[in-house]
């Protein structure tokens, strides 16, 4: 993104949108890390290789046939995006963020879920969040910062430095939000 007077930054609450959480599970990761640890590292903007993400995930419930997934879901701890979403993301400067192929299967572990998907590793951080100018910031006991579930225009303040560098990032200590 080039800096301009019309530059816009989008803050996404997809990490907290319960409608995006899908019932999938995965086999243990080759790294030995749990799916929860993988999710925490991704939400914190850690650069991770493909081995930190599952190659396949499986529908959790035997009585539910999973249909084609929407463009961005949270499944088995991973941020899973459709091929169409991945194509859009690739048009931007992702920096150290990565897209890793993932296969989705029904509970039987054989029948594929319709569509092509990728795990999204958000591997960039920017110290751009301005809590003192943002609305409704809660400081947790851990020192992490949390925003309300429903964000509106101008609720989240970001420094102009955010316009430099990659176009996708997180901004610790703010949690559960990523930026474009």
């Amino acid at each position: 993104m080039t800096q301009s007077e019309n530059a816009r930054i989008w803050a996404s609450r997809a990490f907290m949108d319960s409608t995006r959480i899908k019932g999938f599970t995965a086999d243990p990761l080759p790294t030995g890390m749990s799916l929860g640890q993988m999710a925490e590292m991704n939400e914190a903007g850690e650069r991770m290789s493909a081995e930190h993400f599952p190659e396949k995930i499986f529908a959790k419930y035997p009585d539910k046939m999973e249909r084609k997934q929407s463009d961005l879901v949270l499944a088995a701890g991973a941020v899973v995006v459709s091929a169409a979403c991945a194509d859009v993301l690739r048009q931007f400067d992702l920096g150290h963020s990565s897209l890793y192929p993932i296969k989705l299967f029904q509970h039987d572990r054989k029948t594929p879920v319709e569509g092509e998907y990728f795990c999204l590793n958000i591997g960039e951080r920017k110290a751009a969040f301005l809590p003192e100018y943002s609305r409704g910031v809660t400081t947790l006991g851990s020192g992490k910062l949390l925003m309300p579930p429903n964000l509106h225009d101008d609720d989240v303040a970001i420094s102009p430095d955010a316009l430099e560098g990659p176009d996708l990032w997180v901004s610790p200590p703010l949690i559960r939000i990523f930026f474009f």
Side-chain angles (χ1 to χ4, degrees), residues 92-110:
F92 295 90
D93 177 0
L94 297 179
H96 291 98
S97 294
S98 301
L99 292 157
Y100 300 117
I102 186 170
K103 302 279 186 198
L104 280 63
F105 291 93
Q106 301 294 341
H107 183 76
D108 67 8
R109 294 177 166 248
K110 295 176 188 164

Side-chain angles (χ1 to χ4, degrees), residues 12-17 20-21 33-48 52-53 72-80 97 120-126 140 144-146 168-179:
S12 173
R13 294 282 305 185
F15 287 148
M16 287 301 296
D17 183 348
R20 296 195 179 280
I21 299 171
M33 114 180 13
S34 73
L35 296 174
Q37 290 169 317
M38 177 261 305
E40 285 178 17
M41 288 177 64
N42 198 29
E43 287 184 32
E46 294 283 337
R47 299 174 194 166
M48 296 188 291
H52 289 93
F53 293 89
L72 188 152
V73 297
L74 305 173
V79 178
V80 177
S97 294
L120 172 62
N121 170 224
I122 302 174
E124 292 289 342
R125 299 179 194 167
K126 294 183 185 182
L140 304 176
K144 293 180 178 178
L145 304 175
L146 187 64
L168 174 66
W169 73 93
V170 295
S171 193
L174 181 63
I175 60 171
R176 300 190 178 131
I177 290 182
F178 61 93
F179 297 92

Side-chain angles (χ1 to χ4, degrees), residues 66-70 104-106 111-117:
E66 292 292 341
R67 296 191 172 127
K68 183 176 182 177
Q69 299 296 300
S70 59
L104 280 63
F105 291 93
Q106 301 294 341
T111 308
V113 172
E114 180 186 350
E116 182 182 1
Y117 302 95

Side-chain angles (χ1 to χ4, degrees), residues 128-144:
F129 178 61
L130 302 172
E132 63 277 15
Y133 299 107
S134 299
R135 293 185 195 126
V137 178
T138 300
T139 302
L140 304 176
S142 63
K144 293 180 178 178

